[in-house]
Amino acid sequence: MSTPTPLRDRFDADRPVLGMVHLPPLPGAPGFDGDRDAIRTRALEDARRLEAGGVDGIVLENFGDTPFYPEAVPNHAVADMTALASALQRTVDIPLGINVLRNDADAALSIAAATAADFIRVNVHIGTAATDQGLLEGQAHETLRLRNRLEADVAILADVHVKHATPVGERDLEQAALETVERGMADGVIVSGPGTGVETALEDVERVADVLADQAPTRERNLVFVGSGVTNETVGDCLEAGADGVIVGTALKAGGETTNPVSRERVETLVAAARDSSQP
């Protein structure tokens, strides 16, 4: 399948709000507490609260598996995430994305294909980034070919200058964004701050949105998401700066703590702020 369903067509909202399901440490990770059932219960509860609060999609991520494998994660992690993604698909009725940290796009795509998820997030899709896991190299050539081999109707949402990393080389933000969608053939890009929960610079959002609007021939398909630090107070500014949508984790958690359960009330408040800012 060389041309998957456009990312924009997968969401009911014009400017989708995506909520994070941050998984606790999975079996095999140093922080795993021995209770698989608790992981499943927590993931499903977070997903239900996100859907009930009005988000337009969910991203499932092995957030608790620190320290992360740089690239290929073990088979048991793929198996657990596949089981959890399947359970989420049976529980909620909104688009699902998969992110396998730190940068296992093959695993994410395989999970998405097996569970009929809508998209994957790839932290380093093109270029090279220096991270706490070492140097990560984009594997866009492998990811796109695997998608074709699997005949998977799965969109690729790729970070540009991903958080918790420093790009290697002289590629500026605009060039990186263009190459991600043109040469890397990603269906959308994510612009973030330097770390989880850290506000994204509006200037960066504007720069990416503007260059894709001006120069990318498939701009109508290449959505721009803000990927960190989005709050009730900033979501309107992010959308005004040119973002097509936002991905929110920390601000939707009880007490604003990333590792806490999702708060339905916080979800409702942020979604309402996003909808208000999208009105003409």
Side-chain angles (χ1 to χ4, degrees):
M1 180 174 293
S2 58
T3 306
T5 302
L7 189 58
R8 187 181 299 277
D9 294 347
R10 296 171 186 268
F11 304 107
D12 291 335
D14 291 335
R15 289 178 154 183
V17 176
L18 308 184
M20 294 298 305
V21 172
H22 288 131
L23 292 172
L26 296 174
F32 177 55
D33 65 4
D35 192 344
R36 263 196 174 92
D37 288 340
I39 295 173
R40 183 179 185 276
T41 297
R42 167 69 179 274
L44 296 183
E45 287 177 349
D46 280 355
R48 290 189 186 101
R49 290 169 183 158
L50 288 167
E51 182 179 42
V55 301
D56 305 293
I58 289 173
V59 182
L60 179 69
E61 180 181 271
N62 58 325
F63 181 80
D65 281 356
T66 52
F68 298 118
Y69 288 91
E71 294 174 345
V73 302
N75 291 339
H76 60 77
V78 178
D80 274 307
M81 287 195 70
T82 303
L84 290 165
S86 294
L88 260 64
Q89 289 285 58
R90 295 191 298 269
T91 301
V92 298
D93 190 26
I94 51 178
L96 175 66
I98 308 294
N99 187 23
V100 181
L101 298 170
R102 177 66 156 105
N103 201 50
D104 195 342
D106 280 7
L109 186 56
S110 298
I111 294 167
T115 61
D118 290 271
F119 62 95
I120 63 171
R121 179 176 183 173
V122 184
N123 288 176
V124 182
H125 186 57
I126 65 165
T128 304
T131 75
D132 55 309
Q133 294 83 31
L135 291 177
L136 299 181
E137 295 185 359
Q139 300 292 324
H141 59 293
E142 295 285 0
T143 305
L144 270 294
R145 286 168 173 79
L146 177 61
R147 183 169 69 177
N148 282 347
R149 291 198 302 274
L150 297 179
E151 297 185 352
D153 186 15
V154 176
I156 297 169
L157 190 54
D159 283 87
V160 178
H161 290 186
V162 67
K163 58 190 175 183
H164 300 291
T166 302
V168 175
E170 299 298 322
R171 184 184 288 107
D172 63 21
L173 187 66
E174 288 91 343
Q175 182 184 2
L178 278 173
E179 292 186 352
T180 299
V181 301
E182 291 184 339
R183 296 168 68 85
M185 299 178 67
D187 304 290
V189 299
I190 302 168
V191 185
S192 299
T196 300
V198 179
E199 188 172 344
T200 303
L202 295 179
E203 178 187 359
D204 290 346
V205 180
E206 292 172 349
R207 289 167 62 190
V208 170
D210 287 348
V211 74
L212 292 187
D214 290 343
Q215 299 186 41
T218 57
R219 175 65 184 95
E220 68 278 4
R221 299 184 66 243
N222 301 130
L223 302 189
V224 178
F225 281 82
V226 174
S228 73
V230 178
T231 66
N232 308 334
E233 292 76 21
T234 64
V235 64
D237 293 334
C238 291
L239 298 175
E240 181 66 25
D244 298 296
V246 294
I247 304 172
V248 194
T250 301
L252 303 183
K253 303 299 186 66
E257 294 291 335
T258 307
T259 55
N260 281 350
V262 168
S263 162
R264 175 173 172 173
E265 292 75 17
R266 281 178 167 262
V267 178
E268 290 173 343
T269 301
L270 190 140
V271 170
R275 300 290 186 257
D276 287 346
S277 65
S278 297
Q279 297 302 314

